[in-house]
Amino acid sequence: GIYLYTRLMSRKWEESILRESLATQEEEHAFLKNLLHNIPNLVWLKSPDGVFMAANAQFERLVGIPEHEILGRTDFDLVDKVLAEYFQRNDHLAIEAGKPLQNEESVVFAEDGRHAVLRTTKTPMFASDGTLLGVLGIAHDITESRRQEEALHQALEERSKAELLLQQMNQELEQRVNTQTEHLREANTKLLDTQFAMESVGIGITWVDPKSGRFTYVNRYHAKFLGYSVDEMLKLGVSDIDPNFPQ
């Protein structure tokens, strides 16, 4: 009787431990599932053959169906052939590398038709003996940051174009100023040459301000002819030399 009682108590104790263990596992599973579904990134797990084993709420929004309908399916059941082949090719690359690999994927969310760019990390999962368990995928939506990068790139391009245009305008303006300066230099040289020639042949030259009647230019020949120096004449007006000239 004692033996049977001991066996019975031992069995009850083992069942109690098993129930506690199962309850703990269920709690941990529920916690992990809740954590997985509340992560803002897309998270999924596929078997080595590409069959979905887990998917969170964000991934459900991508394919437009709940997790229980995703499990047991492959990419080819959820997205178009071209995208499915792209997904699986990146899975195989991560498996071959034996380490996490990143890539970018352009997708359309089935939930609302939103176009998005995802930066995805795919990690091969191995057991302690090296057996491949599957491929874990985590994708972060970088649509907004990519949009900002493109806007910044466009703004920099516009700024570069504006700076180039301004540089071209400055170069054209500088060229015009240089050309005009050269023309003025040539005209001044011709004038000086003309004045020198007239000095040489004994021709008097004077320039007079029409408003004030004052001399603005007098060549040496004319000043000497009138009995003045050039500096003296530049301080005079025509009326100072010709009293009959109207004031």
Side-chain angles (χ1 to χ4, degrees), residues 7 10 13 25 33 52 61 99 102 108 140 143 147 163 195 200 203 221 228 239:
R7 291 278 297 178
S10 176
W13 179 78
Q25 290 180 10
K33 191 174 182 65
F52 281 93
R61 295 185 177 93
K99 62 180 181 180
Q102 279 193 348
V108 178
H140 176 62
T143 308
R147 185 180 295 116
E163 290 176 347
Q195 292 173 352
S200 300
I203 297 177
Y221 180 85
Y228 297 95
S239 59

Side-chain angles (χ1 to χ4, degrees), residues 3-246:
Y3 173 77
L4 291 176
Y5 175 78
T6 303
R7 291 278 297 178
L8 179 61
M9 293 300 293
S10 176
R11 184 174 180 179
K12 289 183 177 180
W13 179 78
E14 289 175 355
E15 290 176 351
S16 175
I17 294 298
L18 180 60
R19 283 195 299 271
E20 290 180 2
S21 177
L22 290 174
T24 301
Q25 290 180 10
E26 289 177 358
E27 289 178 0
E28 291 177 350
H29 178 74
F31 173 78
L32 292 174
K33 191 174 182 65
N34 184 56
L35 178 65
L36 181 68
H37 277 266
N38 284 280
I39 291 177
N41 294 332
L42 290 80
V43 182
W44 64 93
L45 177 64
K46 288 188 281 187
S47 72
D49 296 329
V51 177
F52 281 93
M53 302 167 63
N56 73 342
Q58 290 294 339
F59 192 85
E60 291 176 346
R61 295 185 177 93
L62 173 64
V63 296
I65 57 177
E67 182 187 25
H68 70 270
E69 294 183 22
I70 297 172
L71 303 185
R73 295 187 176 187
T74 69
D75 291 311
F76 291 94
D77 300 317
L78 304 176
V79 296
D80 65 78
K81 181 180 178 182
V82 175
L83 192 57
E85 290 177 345
Y86 180 70
F87 287 165
Q88 291 206 348
R89 183 164 61 251
N90 289 324
D91 289 346
H92 294 153
L93 289 174
I95 292 172
E96 292 172 4
K99 62 180 181 180
L101 291 182
Q102 279 193 348
N103 63 275
E104 290 187 5
E105 300 165 345
S106 296
V107 299
V108 178
F109 277 78
E111 180 185 59
D112 54 11
R114 178 173 63 90
H115 290 257
V117 179
L118 305 178
R119 178 171 292 139
T120 301
T121 301
K122 295 190 173 181
T123 305
M125 306 288 290
F126 296 98
S128 58
D129 62 358
T131 303
L132 178 66
L133 300 177
V135 178
L136 174 68
I138 302 176
H140 176 62
D141 190 338
I142 60 171
T143 308
E144 183 58 30
S145 61
R146 180 54 54 82
R147 185 180 295 116
Q148 292 176 358
E149 289 174 3
E150 291 176 353
L152 177 60
H153 180 70
Q154 183 176 359
L156 291 175
E157 281 191 345
E158 294 297 329
R159 177 179 176 180
S160 179
K161 290 178 181 178
E163 290 176 347
L164 180 60
L165 179 60
L166 180 60
Q167 182 180 2
Q168 291 174 343
M169 292 175 63
N170 287 336
Q171 290 175 346
E172 291 177 1
L173 178 60
E174 184 178 358
Q175 182 63 36
R176 290 179 183 179
V177 170
N178 291 339
T179 300
Q180 187 66 23
T181 301
E182 184 61 28
H183 289 165
L184 291 174
R185 186 181 295 110
E186 291 176 357
N188 186 57
T189 300
K190 290 179 180 179
L191 177 61
L192 292 176
D193 291 343
T194 301
Q195 292 173 352
F196 177 76
M198 290 183 176
E199 289 273 8
S200 300
V201 297
I203 297 177
I205 302 175
T206 55
W207 291 353
V208 178
D209 184 339
K211 292 183 179 180
S212 65
R214 297 182 64 83
F215 293 107
T216 58
Y217 173 80
V218 180
N219 70 348
R220 289 193 302 274
Y221 180 85
H222 202 175
K224 184 178 180 181
F225 178 79
L226 295 175
Y228 297 95
S229 68
V230 171
D231 291 338
E232 288 174 336
M233 284 199 64
L234 291 176
K235 297 176 182 179
L236 303 175
V238 177
S239 59
D240 295 322
I241 297 175
D242 183 0
N244 298 320
F245 187 80

